[in-house]
Amino acid sequence: MKVAIVAVGRLRGGPEAALVADYLARFDRTGRPLGLGPASLVEVEDRRGGGPAAEAALIAAAAPKGALLVALDERGAAPSSPEFAAMLRRWADGGAPGLAFAIGGADGLDPGLRDRAAAAISLGRMVWPHLLARVMLAEQLYRAATILAGGPYHRA
């Protein structure tokens, strides 16, 4: 099952970009035997300043065709890492061809896009910068793969 993080804005390099690349590479290595991955980061940018509605159109167009849309939203469910791993396993076992995790810009996701999503998840009750949210999601994807593989990375 392919996984895409579809995010508004660009990581231009630096420690955040390096962390995302590292965690997605780890996810690919660990998840491949489990039928998870490859993972990619797809970045979109609303250069016309249309706000969340314009960003939603860009996210929808950039998401892989047929992928289940998962909104990252502060109002979503806040699963534990093992619960998130179980969600990935259910989606993969349910035949989802792929997942597209949507991360909005500074003003969050458009309500219409959020309503069309198969699920909405939160990285916790705190609000995180949308650029840092990519790092946190990439790490949780890797952590989920290690949980499903029975690896030692996650200590419960």
Side-chain angles (χ1 to χ4, degrees):
M1 176 177 69
K2 293 180 181 178
V3 175
I5 298 173
V6 184
V8 173
R10 305 245 182 244
L11 283 176
R12 297 195 191 334
E16 295 90 352
L19 282 168
V20 169
D22 181 49
Y23 282 125
L24 292 184
R26 290 180 189 200
F27 172 78
D28 287 346
R29 282 191 306 273
T30 307
R32 192 173 313 128
L34 305 169
L36 300 173
S40 62
L41 173 63
V42 180
E43 297 177 316
V44 299
E45 196 161 355
D46 177 20
R47 296 174 189 253
R48 297 182 187 188
E55 293 170 357
L58 293 171
I59 290 169
K65 300 294 181 239
L68 225 62
L69 181 65
V70 180
L72 260 70
D73 186 87
E74 64 190 34
R75 292 166 288 272
S80 66
S81 295
E83 290 168 342
F84 181 65
M87 292 168 76
L88 287 181
R89 183 77 274 153
R90 277 193 308 275
W91 286 325
D93 290 349
L99 295 174
F101 289 93
I103 300 175
D107 294 320
L109 289 173
D110 179 71
L113 182 70
R114 195 173 53 241
D115 292 343
R116 289 195 314 265
I121 60 171
S122 170
L123 295 173
R125 293 179 52 198
M126 293 181 180
V127 176
W128 297 98
H130 61 283
L131 296 176
L132 189 53
R134 293 168 216 216
V135 175
M136 296 169 66
L137 176 59
E139 191 279 338
Q140 285 300 301
L141 287 167
Y142 169 60
R143 183 176 297 273
T146 64
I147 289 168
L148 294 172
Y153 181 75
H154 179 75
R155 290 171 177 78

